Amino acid sequence: MKKAATSAPGKVILFGEHFVVYDKPAIVSAIHLRARVEAWIHDHPGVWVGNRRLLNHPASRAMEYVFEKTGNTLGVRLKISSGIPSSVGLGSSASISIASAGTASLITLGRIDKELVRIAAIEGEKIVHFNPSGIDTSIALYGGGGLYTRSRGFTPIVIPLKKILIIDTGKTRRTGEMVKRVREFMEKNKERFNDILSREEELIGEVIDAFRGLDLERLGRLMLENQNLLREVGVSSLEIEEAVKLALNAGAYGAKLTGAGGGGCVICLAEEDKIQEISKIISRRFKVYLAGLSAEGLREEEI
Ligand code: PMV
């Protein structure tokens, strides 16, 4: 194709971030905020934005990987438009990597080769991540909701929640640095870290059980316990703690950081008829989004 466009969703990790890097399961859902990547064939090899060649960027790395693997020496002009706030844990970079690889796949093969796109996007993510587990790219590709384990990949599950309240602490941070911080905790506290990993795995089983009965109170308690474990390994922050407290005082069942932490976003679980009220109270201090869950994964768009 001479030109093509795709879009991919952002995500929230409901339970299990960071521990997923150590091959423990995490529960993740696509959200209705999306990034769109369009590209046109260009005369010069490489990936270009306007007159500038894009180098060392997840989008260009993911596209060039697809070009290499399909035996092309193509050049493209690129336009990225994203409705996903960046560097706050909502998967903006992974969704751009997936959509870039998806668009490159359409241009070179005339179709979306999902496996090629998945691997190309992980190559792109390596530029910004220290040691990506692949959870963000999987959910941006497949959409919906699921259980993700590094060694077993993505298994779709039904997440019985329609919406989730997201609190943006306004503090941006780098995922790679937060992943390194957990690694340092692990190196200094090997035994305790193993206990934390075992508890996290059990906790995920309890979440699946609470999903079945849609037991929001229990899910809220499990969220708080997950937040305690994340705090212990060093990835919470003053803003996160403040947002969690605010959410609980406003009547939420539970709240926790989502994504890498250190700032970024907090998710908050509440009875559906209380969400508006809670959102109003929190919005006096932080930016809030009400995000639809289980959104569609990578898809071709009109261009
Ligand atoms: O980049 P973020 O903030 O969406 O976080 C990614 C999730 C981590 O578990 C912290 C890292 C990973 O690769 O799984």
Side-chain angles (χ1 to χ4, degrees), residues 6-13 28-37 84 90-102 112 114 117-118 121-122 125 134-146 148 154 294-301:
T6 63
S7 75
K11 62 95 187 58
V12 283
I13 298 179
V28 62
S29 173
I31 55 175
H32 283 89
L33 304 173
R34 304 183 77 82
R36 173 188 163 98
V37 173
I84 310 165
L90 301 182
S92 119
S93 130
S95 114
I96 289 170
S97 294
I98 284 287
S100 301
I112 292 177
K114 283 196 174 171
V117 166
R118 189 183 69 79
I122 291 178
E125 284 297 275
I135 188 169
D136 291 18
T137 39
S138 288
I139 193 68
L141 175 61
Y142 302 118
Y148 180 87
F154 183 73
S294 301
E296 195 185 342
L298 177 67
R299 68 174 180 229
E300 186 174 356
E301 297 284 353

Side-chain angles (χ1 to χ4, degrees), residues 11 13 17-18 20-21 89 129 132-133 135-136 173 175 179 259-260:
K11 62 95 187 58
I13 298 179
E17 52 275 273
H18 283 291
V20 71
V21 172
H129 273 237
S133 68
I135 188 169
D136 291 18
R173 76 286 172 285
T175 299
V179 172

Side-chain angles (χ1 to χ4, degrees), residues 23-208:
D23 207 21
K24 294 298 165 198
I27 298 173
V28 62
S29 173
I31 55 175
H32 283 89
L33 304 173
R34 304 183 77 82
R36 173 188 163 98
V37 173
E38 39 188 274
W40 307 260
I41 298 276
H42 184 48
D43 308 336
H44 305 288
V47 176
W48 297 76
V49 174
N51 292 330
R52 189 170 58 92
R53 182 160 180 191
L54 202 59
L55 290 168
N56 226 7
H57 187 283
S60 56
R61 181 70 201 112
M63 289 195 116
E64 279 163 7
Y65 185 89
V66 172
F67 296 158
E68 276 156 40
K69 291 293 160 188
T70 53
N72 285 286
T73 44
L74 274 176
V76 288
R77 266 189 203 278
L78 191 68
K79 188 176 163 205
I80 301 172
S81 17
S82 175
I84 310 165
S86 68
S87 305
V88 290
L90 301 182
S92 119
S93 130
S95 114
I96 289 170
S97 294
I98 284 287
S100 301
T103 298
S105 174
L106 279 173
I107 286 186
T108 51
L109 301 170
R111 65 186 170 85
I112 292 177
D113 177 335
K114 283 196 174 171
E115 193 49 20
L116 176 61
V117 166
R118 189 183 69 79
I119 296 165
I122 291 178
E123 285 302 310
E125 284 297 275
K126 282 183 186 161
I127 292 178
V128 284
H129 273 237
F130 168 57
N131 179 14
S133 68
I135 188 169
D136 291 18
T137 39
S138 288
I139 193 68
L141 175 61
Y142 302 118
L147 199 62
Y148 180 87
T149 318
R150 203 166 180 156
S151 56
R152 274 164 281 155
F154 183 73
T155 312
I157 58 167
V158 175
I159 294 181
L161 309 168
K162 286 196 190 77
K163 287 178 177 166
I164 197 126
L165 200 60
I166 300 176
I167 308 170
D168 186 347
T169 67
K171 189 177 172 200
T172 58
R173 76 286 172 285
R174 285 174 189 276
T175 299
E177 275 163 26
M178 303 315 293
V179 172
K180 274 187 195 153
R181 201 181 279 185
V182 176
R183 163 80 44 102
E184 278 158 26
F185 177 92
M186 179 200 71
E187 278 160 3
K188 285 190 197 131
N189 308 276
K190 286 222 165 76
E191 247 173 65
R192 176 62 191 144
F193 194 68
N194 280 334
D195 289 347
I196 291 175
L197 289 181
S198 307
R199 177 58 199 139
E200 182 69 28
E201 192 160 19
E202 274 170 23
L203 189 147
I204 297 287
E206 288 169 32
V207 169
I208 305 271

